[in-house]
Amino acid sequence: MWELDLLTGELTWSEGMHRIAGSDPASTRPSMQWWTSLVVPADRARVRAWLLVVREARRGGEEQFDLVGADGVHRRVHAWTEVELDASGEARRLYGSAVDITAAAPIGQRDPLTDLATRPAVLAYLEGDAREGERQRRRGGAVLALVDLDRFSVLDDALGRATSDRVLVACADRLRAAAPRDAVVARLDGDVFAVAVGACTPPGHGPTTPPAAADLAADLAAALRRPVLVDGAAEPLTLTASIGLITTDGDEVGADDVVRRAGLALRRAKREGRDRAVHYTPALEHAAARRVRTEAMLRSALDAGRLQVLYQPVVAMASGEVVGVEALARVIDPEQGPISPALFVDVAEETGLVTRLDEWVLGRASSMAQRWRPPALEAPAPSAAALVARAAMPAVSSIALPDTEALPVNGPRHQLPTVAVNMSSRTLCRPDLALLVRGALQSSGSDPSRLLVEITEHSLLDQGEDARRALDGLTDLGVGVGIDDFGTGWSALSYLAALDLAFMKVDRAFVSRLGTDTSARAVVQAVIDLAHAHRLTVIAEGIETEQQARMLVEMGCDHGQGYWFGRPTPEPDLDAAITSWYERARSVGFGAWSGEGPAATVAEASVEVTTAAAATSAPAQVPVPDRQLRRAASLSVPAPSVGPDSSTAAAGAAAPGSLRQRALSLRP
């Protein structure tokens, strides 16, 4: 029941009215202005007109409308009004009643599972706060937090819908308890919740100070992290959440705009690894707009064939010889020209367009592998000492790494030169991947042993058994598979032994610090030794200086690529770029031209140690599975061509990378 004195403006409520308004009788002094502000925007003008007609026409009436209470709950209300007249016939008092008919209202007015408010309630609350801010001449300051439970779908799959629903109810209760008193707590969709805190004090309430966005996020995250035990779960569950935040500044178009911007922050929090809060900045909106433009540009380029493959040389570190290339996709913009993959790869992954891109690059790379041969390396003739050392080596050498068996090495696993392609996680999980690669090889007539496939650790571990089956299918074709950007993802070392891998790439993040960071050398050396212990060829990427290249030679790195050797180049210009590299290698004395430089010193020391060891004892030859033989063979790097007369003397000689491994095996 309610009563309004038209002379004094005093509004009197029963406890039932406070329940409908979601207000606290002890702290709330109701007013008609505040009461009508609770009505949702779509109904507010109609309710105000109805009350005005009742007063002016001096006759009662009734109306139905939706409101969002001070507790954030969306309710459907049916209200009646009567008029009391004075002796002169003027209206002196309005009185009436209101009934909560939410239970009989259409589905969607409030969340049936958690009994929280829904999206319309959040929008109405934000719009009401903005209007109150205008009245108080205050712009912005409201806080909205979107809370998305991390990996909730995994819990749903493991425990079932009934149990996961109980978890959602428990989370709703915790968010409701952790939110400020006048906040709206809503469930927007699935496992996404919203907590909105207004900046302005509603009429009839005491003064309040809204919390800072970071403090609100910390309180909500802490409430969710407390272990929760629900029926159907054997053990208490600990949950984390990604949170997108926004503090309004008054320039938003409307409440929908506020929610959208908070959603941008939420998506960034999830992309950055989850279990964190990200506050909205205009840069997020600019990035979102750029992603939309990039997707449209990428789709158009794929449909119109505006794509290009650039090839970056891969060099044998000991000799300086180009032994392969990596195929890198570029999208051609009609106005800007080639677009860096840093601008489109993430969008391609997110939209699924990366599978079309991978397939297109695979076809071009397979054709390249069939027809391309790099210019010959015209290295100087070896010294007499080098020829003697080579002749002293057995025709079939052995690797004996610490704690491993001696494995015969008969030569490189793959025919050189090779062409490497990158493969995304989406492409890796295709059930027809082996058929796709087989088709590309057959169409081009290329030798499978000239094709290499690079995958990231993230792709490998995310796909699990699907990745294992896909890799087995590729290796059965004779295609080599390796790990790209090793050490930057979730390094699970068990897969190095479990999978039939051929090579490992040291990420540029480690290589770039060589020469400037003393710890970087130790890290790179550890990665190289780890790869060699698993009989994998090591490729260092991102080599940009001569100093980095020479340090990697000293550390026994097999192959390398980077701007110092050559930038990504279109196929017609590739041979010229390789020839230019050979001229630069000759001018600085690198690889085959190193003379007494670091590479020669390492190789000669390895020969001396290995020759001495051979004079005392030869490593035993033990039978090993064919797959291990192929893995071991991948370590061998072919010696550079030194002229027609040296081929016999160099037959069976191992590359410096392999020699160094034999030398390492003799350490205590």
Side-chain angles (χ1 to χ4, degrees):
M1 304 295 294
W2 61 274
E3 178 181 326
L4 173 65
D5 188 323
L6 296 177
L7 297 179
T8 64
E10 182 179 1
L11 179 63
T12 304
W13 273 5
S14 67
E15 290 187 4
M17 283 299 298
H18 281 288
R19 284 197 299 271
I20 291 176
S23 55
D24 182 2
S27 60
T28 303
R29 183 176 182 180
S31 69
M32 288 301 294
Q33 181 184 11
W34 180 63
W35 166 249
T36 55
S37 74
L38 299 179
V39 179
V40 299
D43 295 342
R44 190 172 296 132
R46 178 165 51 85
V47 170
R48 286 174 174 166
W50 166 59
L51 292 174
L52 180 62
V53 168
V54 167
R55 180 174 181 175
E56 296 299 325
R58 303 178 181 85
R59 66 173 183 267
E62 60 185 286
E63 188 62 85
Q64 286 189 9
F65 49 88
D66 289 347
L67 62 78
V68 179
D71 57 358
V73 176
H74 193 124
R75 296 180 176 92
R76 184 73 172 173
V77 176
H78 192 117
W80 293 265
T81 301
E82 295 294 341
V83 183
E84 180 181 307
L85 305 178
D86 59 16
S88 62
E90 294 295 327
R92 64 173 301 272
R93 185 171 70 98
L94 298 181
Y95 61 95
S97 61
V99 177
D100 182 353
I101 61 169
T102 306
I107 295 176
Q109 299 297 336
R110 64 181 179 185
D111 180 49
L113 176 65
T114 63
D115 198 34
L116 293 179
T118 56
R119 183 185 181 92
V122 175
L123 298 178
Y125 181 86
L126 293 172
E127 290 173 356
D129 184 78
R131 281 192 303 274
E132 185 63 23
E134 292 177 0
R135 191 184 70 80
Q136 299 179 14
R137 296 185 179 182
R138 176 177 178 177
R139 288 175 55 84
V143 177
L144 175 65
L146 297 187
V147 182
D148 186 354
L149 300 180
D150 293 333
R151 304 179 70 82
F152 185 77
S153 59
V154 176
L155 184 148
D156 194 15
D157 292 340
L159 301 180
R161 176 57 58 86
T163 302
S164 61
D165 281 352
R166 296 186 190 101
V167 174
L168 290 176
V169 171
C171 291
D173 292 340
R174 292 187 174 193
L175 292 175
R176 189 186 286 113
R181 180 170 60 88
D182 292 324
V184 170
V185 183
R187 181 186 177 210
L188 299 189
D189 181 38
D191 60 328
V192 180
F193 299 88
V195 177
V197 184
C200 302
T201 302
H205 275 216
T208 59
T209 301
D215 294 337
L216 175 62
D219 292 342
L220 299 178
L224 293 175
R225 283 197 186 98
R226 295 199 307 271
V228 56
L229 181 61
V230 297
D231 292 341
E235 300 291 339
L237 303 173
T238 301
L239 302 175
T240 61
S242 301
I243 302 177
L245 298 164
I246 182 172
T247 302
T248 61
D249 56 13
D251 72 338
E252 297 83 8
V253 175
D256 278 312
D257 197 32
V258 176
V259 175
R260 180 183 60 81
R261 292 179 175 182
L264 293 175
L266 174 60
R267 283 188 284 277
R268 174 59 63 89
K270 293 170 69 175
R271 282 200 299 269
E272 289 183 354
R274 303 184 178 95
D275 191 18
R276 66 194 64 208
V278 172
H279 199 282
Y280 167 82
T281 63
L284 293 178
E285 194 153 18
H286 299 155
R290 185 169 61 248
R291 292 175 79 86
V292 172
R293 293 194 301 269
T294 301
E295 179 183 352
M297 181 268 294
L298 183 57
R299 289 186 185 277
S300 174
L302 285 167
D303 293 339
R306 292 197 310 272
L307 301 171
Q308 182 184 31
V309 177
L310 303 182
Y311 299 92
Q312 186 172 31
V314 178
V315 172
M317 298 299 290
S319 66
E321 183 177 17
V322 172
V323 294
V325 291
E326 180 182 0
L328 302 169
R330 297 291 186 269
V331 176
I332 308 300
D333 185 273
E335 298 179 356
Q336 304 178 43
I339 303 297
S340 168
L343 299 178
F344 67 80
V345 167
D346 286 346
V347 176
E349 285 272 6
E350 184 177 300
T351 59
L353 294 173
V354 70
T355 57
R356 290 179 58 187
L357 187 62
D358 285 351
E359 187 171 350
W360 187 87
V361 174
L362 177 63
R364 300 312 188 272
S366 298
S367 298
M368 173 73 166
Q370 189 275 332
R371 65 177 178 271
W372 175 74
R373 299 295 180 273
L377 174 66
E378 297 178 358
S383 64
L387 290 176
V388 170
R390 289 183 180 179
M393 296 299 297
V396 177
S397 57
S398 299
I399 295 177
L401 296 174
D403 302 323
T404 64
E405 299 171 329
L407 299 178
V409 177
N410 296 312
R413 173 177 175 176
H414 298 285
Q415 295 297 316
L416 301 178
T418 58
V419 178
V421 296
N422 293 281
M423 193 159 288
S424 68
S425 59
R426 284 181 177 263
T427 303
L428 186 63
C429 69
R430 287 180 55 163
D432 63 340
L433 178 59
L435 294 177
L436 174 67
V437 175
R438 181 190 295 273
L441 293 171
Q442 290 177 339
S443 298
S444 62
S446 178
D447 183 345
S449 64
R450 296 191 188 278
L451 180 67
L452 302 178
V453 171
E454 299 180 6
I455 59 175
T456 64
E457 290 179 286
H458 179 86
S459 301
L460 183 63
L461 299 178
D462 259 6
Q463 302 305 326
E465 285 301 316
D466 291 338
R468 184 186 300 273
R469 287 190 292 269
L471 298 187
D472 286 345
L474 294 179
T475 53
D476 288 343
L477 289 175
V479 174
V481 180
I483 302 299
D484 192 14
D485 301 335
F486 181 81
T488 60
W490 307 324
S491 300
L493 303 183
S494 59
Y495 68 71
L496 294 180
L499 298 176
D500 188 15
L501 300 172
F503 61 94
M504 176 193 294
K505 300 189 76 170
V506 184
D507 187 73
R508 67 183 66 248
F510 304 122
V511 175
S512 64
R513 301 203 305 270
L514 288 177
T516 60
D517 184 348
T518 55
S519 64
R521 182 183 181 106
V523 172
V524 174
Q525 185 69 73
V527 173
I528 292 173
D529 291 344
L530 174 67
H532 285 167
H534 288 83
R535 304 175 180 86
L536 304 178
T537 299
V538 185
I539 306 172
E541 56 183 353
I543 302 173
E544 297 187 356
T545 67
E546 179 181 351
Q547 180 188 21
Q548 292 169 354
R550 294 197 183 278
M551 291 180 69
L552 288 164
V553 171
E554 292 178 355
M555 287 187 278
C557 184
D558 303 312
H559 297 167
Q561 67 182 100
Y563 284 178
W564 193 64
F565 301 120
R567 292 176 176 269
T569 306
E571 183 180 350
D573 304 327
L574 183 58
D575 287 355
I578 293 174
T579 300
S580 176
W581 153 243
Y582 287 158
E583 292 173 354
R584 186 165 66 258
R586 180 184 294 109
S587 67
V588 299
F590 184 82
W593 297 275
S594 60
E596 298 299 322
T601 302
V602 172
E604 290 171 6
S606 300
V607 170
E608 292 174 4
V609 174
T610 308
T611 304
T616 58
S617 62
Q621 302 294 324
V622 296
V624 294
D626 180 64
R627 178 167 289 187
Q628 289 186 349
L629 287 176
R630 294 203 312 269
R631 203 180 275 156
S634 67
L635 278 177
S636 180
V637 182
S641 304
V642 293
D645 296 333
S646 62
S647 58
T648 302
S658 297
L659 294 174
R660 183 176 187 278
Q661 292 309 300
R662 288 196 294 277
L664 288 174
S665 71
L666 300 177
R667 292 178 176 175

